[in-house]
Amino acid sequence: LCQRYVKRGFMYIFDNVLPRDSKSAVWALQIFLLAEAEKLVGVKAIDKEIFQPTFEKEGPFIRNRVQSDGAWAVLSDNAGGYWPTALYELAHETIHLLNPIVGYTNYLEEGIAVAFSVDLSKNETTHPMSPNDKYYQRALKLVQLLPDGVYESARSIRNKFGSLGNAEPVGLKELFPTLKTEIAEELCTEFNFT
């Protein structure tokens, strides 16, 4: 039996078992989110696998396999106890899993990940979430300035550079001539505020 979070129309159906207690339900959510991400911004890197999400106190983040053949999302303990948080965190990490890297990515990729997690949280749960952190809020604001819309722009960028994290300011200006140079530069800045 499944519990359904319904706000309007059809929404994702969550298992009655908590996320931390149902690997299969979390994996089903991962598959759903990957399909949604690929529809919006293009397919994941073919040389990288996505593995079963896990839960840790320090999450959320992605962890790469030692073999460099793929990665998985590490979600927070809070996500382990609440499906809307699991969806919100996993949606964000799914964008990173399209082209997983070791280390920090740029404001562009973080902004797309934030947009995707906010949109999926709003569309698929009755508890929409958004970031409180000013750096994630800035990343979201920056990608909302992309001229072709967040997702169509992200798809174009991935087609040109292979990944969001590889984007360079000059190339962004070639794709989007109306994008201000300072915005293109900030989008390509490393997202590292630690």
Side-chain angles (χ1 to χ4, degrees):
L1 189 63
C2 291
Q3 179 176 351
R4 188 175 187 171
Y5 292 89
V6 178
K7 186 170 75 169
R8 65 180 198 283
F10 178 78
M11 295 191 154
Y12 192 81
I13 299 171
F14 295 104
D15 198 314
N16 274 335
V17 177
L18 292 176
R20 70 173 147 263
D21 298 327
S22 181
K23 282 186 173 184
S24 62
V26 173
W27 182 246
L29 180 61
Q30 175 67 89
I31 297 303
F32 167 75
L33 292 170
L34 176 60
E36 293 299 303
E38 288 184 322
K39 276 190 248 175
L40 293 172
V41 302
V43 299
K44 75 169 186 66
I46 57 171
D47 63 334
K48 303 289 184 179
E49 285 295 317
I50 295 177
F51 299 96
Q52 175 72 43
T54 59
F55 297 92
E56 291 181 18
K57 185 172 66 172
E58 298 81 24
F61 56 88
I62 67 166
R63 180 169 286 142
N64 289 278
R65 286 193 8 138
V66 174
Q67 300 89 331
S68 296
D69 60 350
W72 67 93
V74 178
L75 306 178
S76 71
D77 284 342
N78 287 341
Y82 189 54
W83 279 110
T85 303
L87 181 141
Y88 178 72
E89 289 182 7
L90 190 53
H92 182 108
E93 300 311 327
T94 297
I95 294 297
H96 296 311
L97 289 169
L98 296 174
N99 299 99
I101 62 164
V102 174
Y104 298 101
T105 188
N106 56 21
Y107 271 81
L108 171 65
E109 185 172 315
E110 287 296 344
I112 300 299
V114 171
F116 184 66
S117 64
V118 167
D119 288 345
L120 269 287
S121 176
K122 181 176 64 178
N123 294 338
E124 302 296 337
T125 78
T126 56
H127 185 185
M129 299 179 189
S130 58
N132 296 322
D133 179 275
K134 67 180 181 181
Y135 298 102
Y136 287 103
Q137 290 171 345
R138 178 63 182 163
L140 177 59
K141 187 176 210 99
L142 287 169
V143 299
Q144 290 170 336
L145 298 173
L146 290 166
D148 294 346
V150 171
Y151 301 117
E152 192 55 41
S153 296
R155 180 181 285 277
S156 298
I157 293 165
R158 289 187 76 228
N159 285 339
K160 181 174 179 70
F161 294 101
S163 75
L164 298 168
N166 286 337
E168 297 175 354
V170 171
L172 287 183
K173 288 290 290 174
E174 289 169 3
L175 276 176
F176 313 112
T178 62
L179 186 66
K180 292 181 179 175
T181 301
E182 60 269 21
I183 299 300
E185 289 171 352
E186 192 173 355
L187 282 164
C188 297
T189 302
E190 183 179 80
F191 189 85
N192 176 6
F193 52 87
T194 54

